[in-house]
Structures are given as structure tokens and as C-alpha cells.
Amino acid sequence: MSKLIGLYGGPVAHDAGAVYIKDGQIQSIVQEERPRRVKVADDPDASPILSLDRIKKEFNLDFDEIDYFCTATPMGITSEYWMQYGIDKEKISITNHHDAHCYGAYYTSGFNEKTLVVSYDAGGISRSRGYNSTFGRTFLAENNKMNIVNTWPMGTSASIPCMYAMITRWLGWRINKDEGKVTGLAGYGEYNKDVYESFEKMCWYDEEQKKFGPPHQVESATGTNIVLDYFGTTGILKDISTNKKSRADLAYNMQLFLENKIVEYFNHLHKLYPDYKKIVLSGGVFANVKLNQKLNELDWVDETYVYPAMSDSGLALGTTIKKAVELGEWETKRFDNLFYGTKYTQTHIDTLINGINTKTTTDIQRIEYDDKLISKHLNEGSIVGWFKGRFEFGPRALGARSILVRPTDAETHENLNKRLGRTEIMPFAPIVIGEKANDVFITNNKSHYTAEFMTMCYDTRKEWVDKIPAVIHEVDKSARPQLVYENNPFYNVLVEYEKLSNIPVLLNTSFNVHGEPIIDGPDQAINHLMDGVVDYLVMEDFIYYVNR
């Protein structure tokens, strides 16, 4: 059996991170932004330095004993990086960008049945010999084997995610950070024939070629320039910076175009491969939960699985899984959970609290954790910080670094945004007792595994819309629930909250204020308690509060 390290990041890449797999089991995953405390969008060229060092120290690793160091294109990790760790180049295993996306996704789906595996994003550029630059790939998978059936090379195909990125920028937001705001804003817009048909002139699906056109997007930037040049010369959106309706309509038509074209491709795949009725999705475009909902609702799709770290943050794991598969040490299997980050000891927490209480006028008190008590505080309207165990892999807060609030108040969206210094347009997400998810949301008991990772939208049942307004979109009444079962730290508090409120749902958002990554260590959680971001802080086995 083998010891494998996965690495991704550096210049021309983004979403740096490190992974350690031993004997076919994930030991640790650390995304670089957590210890670095700088969001990916603010430091896209970061290399996996702090993340690798953290794993090395925790597991007392000797790099001479590592069998392979795995990475993916684009090769942002420089030769100087490998040299500083004394890594033998013969041990370096390189995977194509979209192969890494697809291997990470399929081999964590647990699907042995006939499965379509699709990745699509704004492009994986490769400057390494033998590794093609691509916008996406499609595989047929069954019984732990994957066979490629389609590739979208840069230069002969197009990227709708590039277009979406440009619309994000056009609306005044940041690429690789704020695309979700476009998705949220879309719910407030309407169909605009001129705008929609403009998108159709810029991009289309060619069924014969199985590609999106036009065939001259040679790299990610070219796709955004196509949008910029077209709208700049037509004047269709000349009032976009000042007119709220124009902004919403632009977002609506971009979202509609994205959904329609991706659905068109999947329906064509179904025509070609009618026996393949499970779908696995990876690549940045599938962070779009409304798109995922449209695909999941196709009547021929039996189940959908979205790789939880569908962006490039999942590539370090994807390339390492590919090597483990090649070594015969990994078969497709489901995640039990995503808690693979750093864990902090109670001794470390006690030292921090004692230092604050001794050196400042702040008086932080604690009592032993009790599900019933914290549920009571939530039911009374308190905002609760949640810090438990190892932090999560991927972009979502799923039970280790969260903020919890009751879901019953419509004004919570505005109030919580103010408390956190955010300007979110997408509604906050609900967590729901898994066994009762179909009672609250129209899931039809479909794709519940992927919904454990908050990667799927569902519509809300009419009788629940007025009961949980804080966690549903105010226009289309959809929600992005996380289904919670007994293996999740949230489960017992949800059960106790339901006893008090008759509602098996709570609001869950990531534990961070505007401009910072999701928190890593207890010092950040304590600072947010002291600053009044949260009213109570659940941290490991205690409830902390400031005696004001």
C-alpha cells in the first residue's frame, strides 16, 4: 500500500491545497486559504505551502517515504517548489485538469451503475508537454472503470462558464468569487428576447461535433472578451450600471441560457447513451446549484452527484485519487463526511481563553455543551457560532465551522448580512433532518447523497414557504438544503430544535465575516464571539459567551 501527497496551486492556477492519502484512505485535506487567511480570489497565485507544511507536521511525514506526489494541470507549481522539499521528479505524477475533476467526482460517487461523468469550466490551461488545454471532458463509467468519450479542447470549442464569468464582472462583481450572486440575482429578472438571442449568437451547441461553439476561444480570457466586445458594440445593456431591472434581466437570461445549453448537451448524451442514467458533475460551472437542479429534474436521470469541491479546490484530491486507482488502492465509494481539515485540542482552546481573560477586560464564560440549551437559544433568536472537530473539505460549511440561526424570520437575511458585513443575494441555506427533507422540500427522495454537501437546489413545498422564509429564495421559493443524518454534528441540535418549534430546519451559513475565508482555528472563532458577530459559541464540548 502507498503514501500519496496531492498538491495544486501556484501561478496560472488557483484554489491551492494539499491532500494526504495513506493506504487508500484520506487522512487530511487542507485548502491553502484556511491557514493563509486570504481568500482565493484575493490570492489566486498562492502555492500549497502552509497547507502542505500543516499536513507534514500533523502526520510527522518524511517526504522520502512518500510514494508519489500528485498534481494537475495547469502546472502552477514551479520546479523551485519541488526542489525546496527535495522531491524527486520521478515521484511526481501529473494529471490533466479535467481528468482530475472527473476522477475525483466519479470515485467519490459510489456509483457502480452506468454513469455519465462530465466536467466543464472556464478552462484548464496546460503549458506542460503532452497535457492538453481543455474546457471539459465526458466519460462513461461503470464498475470502477472510466472511458473518455468527449473532450472540449481550447481553440476548437467554447466555454459558457467564461461567458458567465464575464457577466459577473459586467455586473460589478469579481470572477471566481461572486458568480453565486449572479445566480441569486437571476431570480428577480425576466426573459429579455434581445439579451437572450445575443447569447445565442455568441455561443451554441453543435450536436454533430458534440461541442459548444464558436471554435476560437483559445483560452479562458478569450471567452470573456467575446461577451465584452459583443455587448459593448450593440449597446443592449448601456444602462446596466444604474438600472436594477436591467441588471436582474441580464442575470436571468445568462442563467437561463446556461441551463438550456447544458441541458441540451445532457439530453444529447442521453440520446447517444440511453442506458446511462446516473450523472456525476465536476468543474466550476457545477457550483451553480440552479443548473444542478435543472439537470436533476430531467426525467431520464435516476440520480445526480456533484463533487463537493467541484471547483479547482477539488483537483489536489482528484489527481491523488487517480493515482490510487491506478495502484489498485481505490474503488468508487461514498464520503462518510467531509471533515478532513485541522483539529484543535481543548488544551489549545483553554490556553487561548485564559490568555484573553487574563490580559484583557473581556470576561469569556463557558458551560458544558447541551443540545437542549443551544436549541433553546436558537429558538429564542440567538445567533450561534459552531466550531467542531476538523474543518470541512470544499467551499461549504457542513457541520464543523458554521453559524446557525432560526429560519423563521424573513428579516434574517438583511440582519445577518449586516452582522457579518456581507452583501449576499443568494438566500442563506437550510440544514434539514435528512429523513424529513422530502416533507419540507420537493426532493422526491432523489439525489439525497449529493444534498448532504449542499450542492443541489430543490423547490420548497407550499405549506413550508411561510414557515422558513429565511432560507428560501423570496421569488422562486427554491432552497439549497444540506441533508443532515446522525453522522453529522448538527443532527442532535436539529432534533431538539424541532421539539421546540415543530420545524426540522435551521439556517446554516459559513463561519466568517465578509472578506475572510471560513475560519480555521479557535482564535478566529473567539474573536468573532468577542466582536459580537455571534451571541454564543459552541466550541467542541462547551458553550462560550461573553459576560457583558
Side-chain angles (χ1 to χ4, degrees), residues 369-500:
Y369 176 77
D370 180 76
D371 293 314
K372 293 183 174 63
L373 179 59
I374 210 66
S375 300
K376 177 176 178 292
H377 288 316
L378 287 164
N379 194 45
E380 292 171 350
S382 295
I383 296 175
V384 174
W386 187 271
F387 184 105
K388 289 267 189 177
R390 295 181 178 274
F391 60 71
E392 303 91 337
F393 165 52
R396 312 290 186 213
L398 300 172
R401 306 288 189 273
S402 287
I403 291 174
L404 301 180
V405 189
R406 69 185 183 190
T408 54
D409 307 306
E411 63 271 18
T412 293
H413 190 272
E414 181 179 355
N415 294 340
L416 193 54
N417 269 333
K418 286 181 179 178
R419 184 87 74 108
L420 301 175
R422 299 183 191 169
T423 55
E424 297 296 338
I425 295 176
M426 281 288 279
F428 291 109
I431 54 174
V432 58
I433 295 173
E435 294 83 357
K436 300 189 177 183
N438 195 44
D439 298 335
V440 181
F441 306 103
I442 305 174
T443 73
N444 297 319
N445 294 314
K446 185 177 181 181
S447 303
H448 278 195
Y449 169 53
T450 203
E452 291 183 45
F453 311 122
M454 211 182 284
T455 56
M456 182 64 65
C457 255
Y458 298 101
D459 292 333
T460 308
R461 296 193 181 275
K462 290 182 180 179
E463 62 270 25
W464 282 93
V465 167
D466 293 333
K467 295 179 182 179
I468 54 171
V471 293
I472 63 174
H473 196 288
E474 64 178 348
V475 177
D476 66 22
K477 310 306 179 187
S478 65
R480 175 175 47 109
Q482 177 194 356
L483 276 57
V484 172
Y485 297 95
E486 289 188 44
N487 63 338
N488 189 289
F490 286 150
Y491 187 79
N492 289 336
V493 72
L494 269 171
V495 169
E496 294 301 327
Y497 177 76
E498 185 189 22
K499 291 177 183 177
L500 296 173

Side-chain angles (χ1 to χ4, degrees), residues 466-539:
D466 293 333
K467 295 179 182 179
I468 54 171
V471 293
I472 63 174
H473 196 288
E474 64 178 348
V475 177
D476 66 22
K477 310 306 179 187
S478 65
R480 175 175 47 109
Q482 177 194 356
L483 276 57
V484 172
Y485 297 95
E486 289 188 44
N487 63 338
N488 189 289
F490 286 150
Y491 187 79
N492 289 336
V493 72
L494 269 171
V495 169
E496 294 301 327
Y497 177 76
E498 185 189 22
K499 291 177 183 177
L500 296 173
S501 64
N502 293 317
I503 295 173
V505 174
L506 283 166
L507 181 156
N508 168 31
T509 189
S510 57
F511 200 163
N512 62 289
V513 296
H514 175 70
E516 72 167 352
I518 302 174
I519 64 170
D520 167 17
D523 54 328
Q524 296 133 34
I526 294 165
N527 285 339
H528 290 328
L529 175 66
M530 294 168 60
D531 291 342
V533 173
V534 296
D535 302 314
Y536 294 93
L537 173 60
V538 174
M539 194 154 52

Side-chain angles (χ1 to χ4, degrees), residues 35-51:
R36 191 177 288 266
R37 305 309 304 148
V38 181
K39 296 192 80 166
V40 167
D42 298 318
D43 191 17
D45 293 339
S47 293
I49 296 172
L50 300 180
S51 48

Side-chain angles (χ1 to χ4, degrees), residues 180-233:
K181 292 181 179 179
V182 181
T183 312
L185 182 62
Y188 298 91
E190 297 178 324
Y191 177 74
N192 181 305
K193 184 173 182 290
D194 289 338
V195 175
Y196 189 86
E197 289 183 353
S198 294
F199 287 128
E200 289 195 314
K201 291 174 183 176
M202 282 184 271
C203 186
W204 54 87
Y205 179 62
D206 185 329
E207 191 168 290
E208 183 177 348
Q209 297 290 323
K210 292 194 294 185
K211 295 176 183 176
F212 293 99
H216 54 262
Q217 287 192 24
V218 295
E219 59 178 332
S220 301
T222 315
T224 59
N225 289 337
I226 289 172
V227 181
L228 182 64
D229 292 344
Y230 189 88
F231 281 137
T233 55

